[in-house]
Amino acid sequence: MRIMVLKWVATCLSLSAFAIASAITIDDFTQGQYSVTLQSGSDYKATAAANVPGGVRTTFFDVLSNPEDEFVTLAIVPGLSVSSTGSRARTTTIVAYGFDEFGSLTDLNLDFGSLSAFEFKFLSNVQPLAMTVRVFSNSGSDQSEFSVSVPGGRNGIAFTQSAPFSQFSGSASFTDIDQIIVELINEPDGTYGIGSFGVVPEPTTIVGVGLALVGLSRSRRHRQ
């Protein structure tokens, strides 16, 4: 009986490890930390971060409008956040992967064919946030993109925003992703924070693993 239990535990651990290993973290913003504060204009930064695809994260931060001349800050601290000292500034933040420190293309050659969606772990979002995710393959020749309005009203409330591959439009191949670009445009008073983002498998895959674990558990009790 003890051997049967040990085999069941080992199988459960193996299946759980499979489910976890299927997800890929693209950036948890723990490396390449920096911050910039602006009242107008823009800032471009290429930062070495060994834990992101290609080893370089490029960031573009632009103040679109700021009628009260407040200070607006983009920080990677870890986590990515945009905050302001007032309530009327509007900005664009672009985070990109697959470029070198000079802005030239560097093919990532990422194969996401067995996965199904980008997943963003938000830490907070005050106002609706326009988010566009673009992916490129064939050295930038083929492009696909997905846009969504991320819900606001979640000040200090963590939540997840998905970008399913099935909802992307364009010709890029998810089996050979060379560049990834994420664009975020906030509404006035639209402060927000992102803890990490990555790529995840089909929800049915995870459910299937869970059902398998339940089945193993019932089988074990039946044998006992």
Side-chain angles (χ1 to χ4, degrees):
M1 181 62 65
R2 179 179 176 85
I3 294 175
M4 291 172 60
V5 171
L6 289 175
K7 286 182 177 179
W8 175 79
V9 171
T11 303
C12 289
L13 290 174
S14 177
L15 287 170
S16 298
F18 168 78
I20 295 172
S22 295
I24 298 173
T25 298
I26 294 175
D27 200 346
D28 59 8
F29 305 104
T30 58
Q31 296 187 9
Q33 298 180 25
Y34 87 104
S35 66
V36 59
T37 299
L38 302 173
Q39 286 180 293
S40 63
S42 61
D43 181 78
Y44 171 83
K45 183 75 171 181
T47 309
N51 63 339
V52 307
V56 175
R57 178 199 306 114
T58 58
T59 307
F60 177 76
F61 186 52
D62 184 36
V63 178
L64 299 176
S65 60
N66 191 8
E68 296 180 353
D69 291 328
E70 58 199 77
F71 292 99
V72 192
T73 299
L74 165 68
I76 296 176
V77 290
L80 181 152
S81 66
V82 171
S83 59
S84 64
T85 59
S87 61
R88 299 187 63 189
R90 189 165 178 263
T91 66
T92 295
T93 301
I94 296 175
V95 185
Y97 310 85
F99 301 85
D100 64 19
E101 62 271 26
F102 304 108
S104 299
L105 299 180
T106 59
D107 291 354
L108 298 175
N109 298 317
L110 299 173
D111 185 354
F112 296 154
S114 62
L115 303 170
S116 69
F118 291 106
E119 187 174 80
F120 295 80
K121 302 289 188 180
F122 276 81
L123 305 174
S124 179
N125 187 41
V126 174
Q127 298 287 353
L129 177 69
M131 180 172 74
T132 299
V133 184
R134 297 181 178 90
V135 295
F136 300 83
S137 60
N138 193 20
S139 298
S141 298
D142 297 314
Q143 173 184 344
S144 292
E145 69 175 52
F146 167 84
S147 295
V148 66
S149 178
V150 180
R154 301 180 179 183
N155 189 15
I157 300 174
F159 65 97
T160 298
Q161 175 65 53
S162 179
F165 294 167
S166 61
Q167 296 182 26
F168 277 70
S169 61
S171 58
S173 170
F174 283 92
T175 62
D176 180 25
I177 297 299
D178 291 325
Q179 288 83 35
I180 303 169
I181 298 176
V182 181
E183 180 181 44
L184 304 155
I185 302 177
N186 70 292
E187 295 300 323
D189 196 29
T191 61
Y192 59 91
I194 301 175
S196 65
F197 83 98
V199 195
V200 296
E202 290 280 358
T204 52
T205 300
I206 299 175
V207 170
V209 172
L211 292 175
L213 293 176
V214 171
L216 284 169
S217 177
R218 289 176 177 172
S219 176
R220 181 180 67 88
R221 289 198 297 269
H222 178 73
R223 288 196 298 270
Q224 286 177 334

